[in-house]
Amino acid sequence: MNQYIEPEVLKGTRDFLPLDMAKRDFVMKHITSVFRSFGYDSVQTPAIEYAKTILGKYGEDSDKLIYRFKDNGGRDIALRYDQTVPFARLVAANFQNLPIPFKRYQVGNVWRGDRPAKGRYREFCQCDIDIIGTKNLLAEAEIAKVVYSVLARLGFPKFVIKFNSRRFLNSVLSDLKIAEEKQVAVIRILDKFDRIGLEGVEIELNKILSKETISALRRIINLEGSNSEKINSFKKYDTAEILQFLQLTKSLEIPECNLQFTPSLARGLDYYTGITFEVFIPGADIGAVCAGGRYDNLCELFTSENLSGVGVAFGFDRIVIAMEQLGMLKKIRLSSRVLITYFEAATLPASLEVFNELTSEKISAEIYFEPAPLKKQLKYADKKGIPFVIFLGEEEIRKQQVKIKFMDTGKEKVIPRDQISIYLKCFYEQTEK
Amino acid sequence: MNQYIEPEVLKGTRDFLPLDMAKRDFVMKHITSVFRSFGYDSVQTPAIEYAKTILGKYGEDSDKLIYRFKDNGGRDIALRYDQTVPFARLVAANFQNLPIPFKRYQVGNVWRGDRPAKGRYREFCQCDIDIIGTKNLLAEAEIAKVVYSVLARLGFPKFVIKFNSRRFLNSVLSDLKIAEEKQVAVIRILDKFDRIGLEGVEIELNKILSKETISALRRIINLEGSNSEKINSFKKYDTAEILQFLQLTKSLEIPECNLQFTPSLARGLDYYTGITFEVFIPGADIGAVCAGGRYDNLCELFTSENLSGVGVAFGFDRIVIAMEQLGMLKKIRLSSRVLITYFEAATLPASLEVFNELTSEKISAEIYFEPAPLKKQLKYADKKGIPFVIFLGEEEIRKQQVKIKFMDTGKEKVIPRDQISIYLKCFYEQTEK
């Protein structure tokens, strides 16, 4: 007996079957089309990099998650851990040839030896946009507009772009007399708000702050109300950046209901220096679907050019999961619209003529590959979700007709042979909507 | 002084800048759109696999080129070397849920620790189509039709799908009384025909065949003429498969000038069992851009299901190189069609209004991110190849006008503010053609 190799994938990695891919392609097509409509162009970096490029950029804990190995030439190699560091390397290497400010999007897989969980994989897809080389707040506002446009285009009925300002947060922490060396620790704890809740945050803060300070902080991060109500309550802090950001997003016609000033939002990463974002989908149980903000000096490890920027990463896998959860991907079908049946060699030439005509008219069609019983061919059409099946028997050929079976209803219709393309095209355009 | 990390990529890997990506995306979009129009659906497998899945499938020499390493859990891991073996694993794992025959396309990067050369990289993109689960020759003919349609759609003025039949070749070798154990060696030598020429092939054949046999073989593989002339000369050999294949490709309307029966074509890989293909672009110095054929029992290492199939791999990087060489990608631009200038805060709201209008009309537009001298903004537009620059100064705003500068000619035109979208749309559609 043969010993077969178990056809398994590594934990945290996935095969994508046709329907998975049809959904993913649909989502990706809309996302990148919005990026391009705002003038973002695509770049790509290799999946494998010198380890020196990747290591030491994300903190010690993250370094442990990086896939590393030696190649045959003894080079120390690492798999891409995110797209930001390789992007910084690309910008440093090509600075003279890039338009500055530089807007780009970048879609690619990254690898992390993390513990797999719901929405957390070892190989997953990131979609980033960044604008680098400008400090103007218009860049933050445009990034928010792109996020808004992507989620609106995908059809999410509700979503919230939560934002905060590092300048505001720093002014709060300074006003509360929290020593500068403690501020980073406090920000890291606040960043867990969405995962561990207010209570969890307070337990952790207890270890480093006094009860009074915590209670003052709670009043700030827990404040309810509209964006302008919050700003009015926080007049003693530095809200200039937030006011200007809201004014610009208003000019960019982002509805106020999609933007939420969130004083507790902290983004643990130390490198954010201005406005920060996190985006949530009410009703989807998946955490933030986008996150980002303003950072200083992206390329400082690679070049003396000082480039401030603002960017956001779209969690592509999470967006797909959220759309699945909300039933937004139910209408996605595979490519084929038409199956032409094949019963005998004698009728094949006529069938191939129809096949040629349909594919040249860009109606996605296929012909069954061998003579087979009707039941088998219908089962095939059913498994692929093909909506139309065409029969061309001797009788139809003689009468210059074709018979169409509508798989959704089971009904059949005979139409003249020379009307097949136009008929399917009309029907096809209707069902696509 | 700072010690910067050299922003270099590994040998054999590449960064793709915006214009590279625009070209690659253009080519990929056309390729996959043809695949889908023939009812091929996409699947994807992970880039990292258990080493046991990948090793030992391509021969010893290839095994040395596979990137292998241990992950933190001590698992023996390999990077994807091609897409066929992981596809076989995917089919074995999901057999019950797949429509059979199964048609799919698969686009992804593969990694090979090969010596980098022109058109040969360590990380490169493969585009495969396969039909598995049918032995009917219609499958071979359809694969040829898809290859034809892809290359025609991309606009190649000339290309040749060279094909041969393993059955024909075996009947020739048997007729020449070449012992079966030598036939594989002879096929491997014939496979080098395109690289080392007839002379090189004869030198190698000299080591294993007699002068008379070589001379007889030369007359066969060197025969000139049309497909039918060749077939007529080869009546004593088994040409049944070739005749039927040509009949089917004729029914599928593949022009005969694009199909060339090539008795020397051998495809070194041992697993081809029927029709084999290699595709060349006259005038492009890049070797075969597609290759494939009929194979038996794709999944035999993973399952007892016996699945014969036929497939072809498109060398995506080579196709892009060939199109570059033939000047077919000169018209490709970046995304942005319009730059809206930004000179002062007072005119910003009016500029943002235009920006909102254009992007919502799906005219790819951007606004310069900060007040800057005209020269700087025009240089930016020039570097990105943006064809239209819009000026909205105080005067234009007062008169409800906008001024457009056409970057290709340097000319300017003032038009009413409320006609901007429709004006650009018309112009835009013209210039896209």
Side-chain angles (χ1 to χ4, degrees):
Chain A
M1 200 189 127
N2 239 324
Q3 277 294 324
Y4 295 113
I5 300 169
E6 175 71 25
E8 61 187 332
V9 298
L10 286 158
K11 208 163 73 168
T13 72
R14 294 160 290 169
D15 282 333
F16 296 107
L17 294 178
L19 195 57
D20 303 321
M21 283 306 296
K23 292 172 180 174
R24 293 172 74 82
D25 286 343
F26 171 86
V27 176
M28 186 59 82
K29 197 179 75 181
H30 280 83
I31 293 176
T32 54
S33 132
V34 171
F35 292 167
R36 280 193 298 272
S37 75
F38 284 92
Y40 291 75
D41 294 301
S42 170
V43 305
Q44 262 181 21
T45 66
I48 54 177
E49 293 263 9
Y50 281 106
K52 67 177 181 188
T53 301
I54 310 245
L55 287 175
K57 311 298 183 299
Y58 310 98
E60 255 177 58
D61 286 350
S62 300
D63 270 6
K64 288 181 201 150
L65 305 182
I66 292 173
Y67 285 98
R68 266 180 84 179
F69 58 97
K70 299 254 188 222
D71 73 2
N72 284 343
R75 293 172 203 87
D76 195 2
I77 294 198
L79 293 186
R80 191 163 56 207
Y81 177 85
D82 79 349
Q83 301 196 103
T84 306
V85 170
F87 174 56
R89 182 195 49 63
L90 175 144
V91 170
N94 297 282
F95 186 73
Q96 293 308 324
N97 300 314
L98 299 176
I100 302 293
F102 184 47
K103 302 165 70 156
R104 77 86 179 80
Y105 73 89
Q106 196 164 343
V107 171
N109 282 340
V110 298
W111 292 267
R112 298 182 181 180
D114 214 342
R115 188 179 298 272
K118 183 178 172 188
R120 191 162 66 219
Y121 305 100
R122 290 188 171 161
E123 173 173 320
F124 62 98
C125 178
Q126 284 192 336
C127 260
D128 296 0
I129 53 170
D130 286 86
I131 303 163
I132 62 165
T134 177
K135 294 189 171 169
N136 198 294
L137 209 59
L138 184 52
E140 276 90 330
E142 181 180 282
I143 291 280
K145 173 73 184 236
V146 175
V147 169
Y148 167 77
S149 304
V150 164
L151 298 176
R153 174 83 69 92
L154 289 174
F156 282 106
K158 279 186 192 172
F159 56 90
V160 185
I161 304 172
K162 294 187 178 181
F163 70 94
N164 197 1
S165 146
R166 201 37 93 70
R167 269 171 62 188
F168 165 76
L169 201 57
N170 288 344
S171 77
V172 168
L173 299 181
S174 299
D175 182 77
L176 292 174
K177 306 272 183 296
I178 298 173
E180 244 181 74
E181 63 275 17
K182 274 192 190 168
Q183 293 190 2
V184 170
V186 171
I187 285 173
R188 289 223 168 119
I189 294 169
L190 287 179
D191 185 44
K192 302 181 187 171
F193 190 90
D194 276 303
R195 276 162 286 154
I196 63 177
L198 183 62
E199 209 177 325
V201 165
E202 291 193 1
I203 290 169
E204 294 209 20
L205 287 176
N206 247 320
K207 296 172 196 161
I208 52 171
L209 298 181
S210 71
K211 286 222 174 328
E212 296 68 37
T213 310
I214 293 176
S215 142
L217 197 54
R218 184 197 307 128
R219 279 193 299 276
I220 295 164
I221 65 177
N222 226 10
L223 191 72
E224 305 267 322
S226 70
N227 293 334
S228 42
E229 282 164 2
K230 283 178 197 163
I231 292 168
N232 283 332
S233 312
F234 294 145
K235 280 202 169 133
K236 62 191 280 206
Y237 308 119
D238 182 353
T239 54
E241 194 174 48
I242 290 171
L243 275 166
Q244 205 194 335
F245 174 72
L246 281 173
Q247 199 185 346
L248 286 167
T249 56
K250 194 174 176 186
S251 295
L252 286 173
E253 296 175 355
I254 307 177
E256 175 122 19
C257 64
N258 293 109
L259 275 173
Q260 191 183 93
F261 172 30
T262 307
S264 64
L265 180 70
R267 301 290 307 137
L269 288 168
D270 305 341
Y271 63 75
Y272 290 111
T273 54
I275 297 285
T276 53
F277 307 101
E278 276 188 4
V279 184
F280 294 87
I281 312 285
D285 170 30
I286 195 67
V289 294
C290 307
R294 159 76 63 183
Y295 46 79
D296 276 344
N297 214 354
L298 178 72
C299 306
E300 62 184 343
L301 293 169
F302 301 104
T303 172
S304 60
E305 296 292 343
N306 189 324
L307 294 163
S308 176
V310 47
V312 68
F314 289 74
F316 177 72
D317 290 284
R318 290 184 171 196
I319 289 174
V320 173
I321 292 171
M323 292 179 75
E324 286 270 21
Q325 285 181 358
L326 299 174
M328 295 161 65
L329 295 172
K330 282 183 187 159
K331 285 192 174 172
I332 305 291
R333 290 178 186 255
L334 302 185
S335 322
S336 279
R337 290 295 173 271
V338 180
L339 176 70
I340 302 163
T341 51
Y342 180 7
F343 297 107
E344 47 178 342
T347 58
L348 183 61
S351 296
L352 289 178
E353 257 178 42
V354 174
F355 177 61
N356 291 332
E357 182 181 321
L358 296 182
T359 52
S360 73
E361 292 285 341
K362 296 189 183 165
I363 297 170
S364 181
E366 54 185 303
I367 186 156
Y368 200 79
F369 282 114
E370 49 199 52
L374 174 61
K375 203 175 152 187
K376 197 173 172 187
Q377 299 190 50
L378 289 179
K379 196 178 152 195
Y380 175 83
D382 195 49
K383 217 161 185 176
K384 290 189 80 166
I386 300 175
F388 309 108
V389 174
I390 287 183
F391 301 88
L392 255 138
E394 273 177 41
E395 191 192 335
E396 284 88 12
I397 294 172
R398 202 179 55 246
K399 293 187 179 165
Q400 300 197 299
Q401 296 175 329
V402 294
K403 196 198 284 178
I404 304 180
K405 185 181 178 83
F406 302 86
M407 294 296 285
D408 288 346
T409 60
K411 283 185 185 154
E412 294 181 355
K413 191 175 167 76
V414 173
I415 61 166
R417 165 68 185 84
D418 59 5
Q419 288 176 23
I420 179 73
S421 283
I422 188 78
Y423 184 85
L424 285 173
K425 264 197 171 167
C426 295
F427 215 97
Y428 182 93
E429 274 158 24
Q430 274 172 24
T431 53
E432 297 304 288
K433 276 167 193 161
Chain B
M1 202 190 126
N2 240 325
Q3 278 294 324
Y4 295 113
I5 300 170
E6 176 71 32
E8 61 187 333
V9 297
L10 285 158
K11 208 162 71 168
T13 72
R14 295 160 288 170
D15 282 333
F16 296 107
L17 294 179
L19 196 57
D20 304 320
M21 284 305 295
K23 292 172 181 175
R24 293 172 74 82
D25 285 345
F26 171 86
V27 176
M28 186 59 81
K29 196 179 77 182
H30 281 83
I31 293 176
T32 55
S33 132
V34 171
F35 291 167
R36 280 193 298 273
S37 76
F38 284 92
Y40 292 73
D41 295 302
S42 169
V43 305
Q44 263 182 18
T45 66
I48 54 177
E49 293 263 9
Y50 281 107
K52 66 176 182 189
T53 301
I54 310 246
L55 286 175
K57 310 299 182 299
Y58 310 98
E60 256 177 57
D61 287 349
S62 300
D63 270 6
K64 288 181 202 150
L65 305 182
I66 292 173
Y67 285 98
R68 268 179 83 179
F69 57 97
K70 299 255 188 222
D71 75 0
N72 284 343
R75 291 172 204 87
D76 196 3
I77 294 198
L79 293 186
R80 191 163 56 207
Y81 176 85
D82 79 350
Q83 300 196 102
T84 306
V85 170
F87 173 56
R89 182 196 49 63
L90 174 144
V91 170
N94 297 281
F95 186 74
Q96 293 308 324
N97 300 316
L98 299 176
I100 301 293
F102 184 48
K103 301 163 70 154
R104 76 87 179 80
Y105 73 89
Q106 197 164 342
V107 171
N109 283 340
V110 299
W111 292 266
R112 298 182 182 180
D114 214 342
R115 188 177 298 272
K118 182 176 171 190
R120 190 162 69 218
Y121 304 101
R122 290 189 169 160
E123 173 173 321
F124 62 98
C125 178
Q126 283 191 336
C127 259
D128 296 359
I129 53 170
D130 287 87
I131 302 164
I132 61 164
T134 177
K135 293 189 171 169
N136 198 294
L137 210 59
L138 184 51
E140 276 89 331
E142 181 180 281
I143 291 280
K145 173 73 184 236
V146 175
V147 169
Y148 167 77
S149 304
V150 164
L151 298 177
R153 174 84 68 90
L154 289 174
F156 282 105
K158 280 185 194 172
F159 56 90
V160 184
I161 304 172
K162 295 187 178 180
F163 71 93
N164 197 0
S165 145
R166 199 39 90 72
R167 269 171 62 188
F168 165 76
L169 201 56
N170 289 342
S171 78
V172 168
L173 299 182
S174 298
D175 182 77
L176 292 174
K177 307 273 185 295
I178 298 172
E180 246 182 72
E181 63 275 15
K182 272 191 191 168
Q183 292 191 1
V184 169
V186 171
I187 285 174
R188 289 224 169 119
I189 294 170
L190 287 180
D191 185 44
K192 302 181 187 170
F193 190 91
D194 276 304
R195 276 162 285 155
I196 63 177
L198 183 61
E199 209 177 325
V201 165
E202 292 194 1
I203 291 170
E204 295 208 19
L205 287 177
N206 247 319
K207 297 174 196 160
I208 52 172
L209 298 181
S210 72
K211 286 227 173 324
E212 295 69 37
T213 311
I214 293 176
S215 145
L217 197 54
R218 184 198 306 132
R219 279 193 299 276
I220 294 164
I221 64 176
N222 226 10
L223 191 73
E224 305 268 322
S226 70
N227 294 334
S228 43
E229 282 165 1
K230 284 180 197 162
I231 292 168
N232 282 333
S233 312
F234 295 145
K235 279 201 169 135
K236 63 189 282 203
Y237 308 119
D238 183 354
T239 54
E241 194 174 50
I242 289 171
L243 275 167
Q244 204 194 337
F245 174 72
L246 280 173
Q247 198 184 348
L248 286 167
T249 56
K250 194 175 177 185
S251 295
L252 286 172
E253 297 174 354
I254 306 177
E256 175 121 19
C257 64
N258 294 110
L259 275 172
Q260 191 182 95
F261 171 30
T262 306
S264 63
L265 180 69
R267 300 290 306 139
L269 288 168
D270 305 341
Y271 64 75
Y272 289 110
T273 55
I275 297 284
T276 53
F277 307 101
E278 275 188 5
V279 185
F280 295 88
I281 312 285
D285 170 30
I286 195 67
V289 294
C290 307
R294 159 76 63 182
Y295 46 79
D296 277 344
N297 214 354
L298 179 73
C299 306
E300 61 184 343
L301 294 169
F302 300 104
T303 173
S304 59
E305 297 291 346
N306 190 325
L307 294 164
S308 175
V310 48
V312 68
F314 289 74
F316 177 72
D317 290 283
R318 290 184 172 196
I319 290 174
V320 173
I321 292 171
M323 291 180 74
E324 287 269 22
Q325 285 181 357
L326 298 175
M328 295 162 64
L329 295 171
K330 281 184 187 160
K331 285 191 175 174
I332 305 291
R333 290 176 185 256
L334 302 185
S335 322
S336 280
R337 289 295 174 271
V338 181
L339 175 70
I340 301 163
T341 51
Y342 180 6
F343 296 107
E344 48 178 341
T347 58
L348 183 61
S351 296
L352 289 178
E353 257 178 43
V354 174
F355 178 61
N356 291 332
E357 184 181 319
L358 296 182
T359 52
S360 73
E361 291 285 342
K362 296 188 181 165
I363 296 169
S364 182
E366 53 185 303
I367 187 157
Y368 200 79
F369 282 114
E370 49 198 53
L374 174 61
K375 202 176 154 187
K376 197 173 173 188
Q377 299 190 49
L378 288 180
K379 195 178 154 195
Y380 175 84
D382 194 50
K383 218 161 183 174
K384 289 189 81 167
I386 300 176
F388 309 108
V389 174
I390 286 182
F391 301 87
L392 254 137
E394 271 176 44
E395 191 190 336
E396 283 89 12
I397 294 172
R398 202 179 55 246
K399 292 186 179 168
Q400 300 197 298
Q401 296 174 331
V402 293
K403 196 198 282 179
I404 304 180
K405 185 181 178 83
F406 300 86
M407 294 295 284
D408 289 345
T409 60
K411 283 185 185 155
E412 294 183 354
K413 191 177 167 74
V414 173
I415 62 167
R417 165 68 185 83
D418 58 6
Q419 288 176 22
I420 180 73
S421 282
I422 188 77
Y423 184 86
L424 285 173
K425 265 195 171 169
C426 294
F427 214 97
Y428 182 92
E429 274 157 25
Q430 275 172 24
T431 54
E432 298 302 288
K433 276 166 195 162

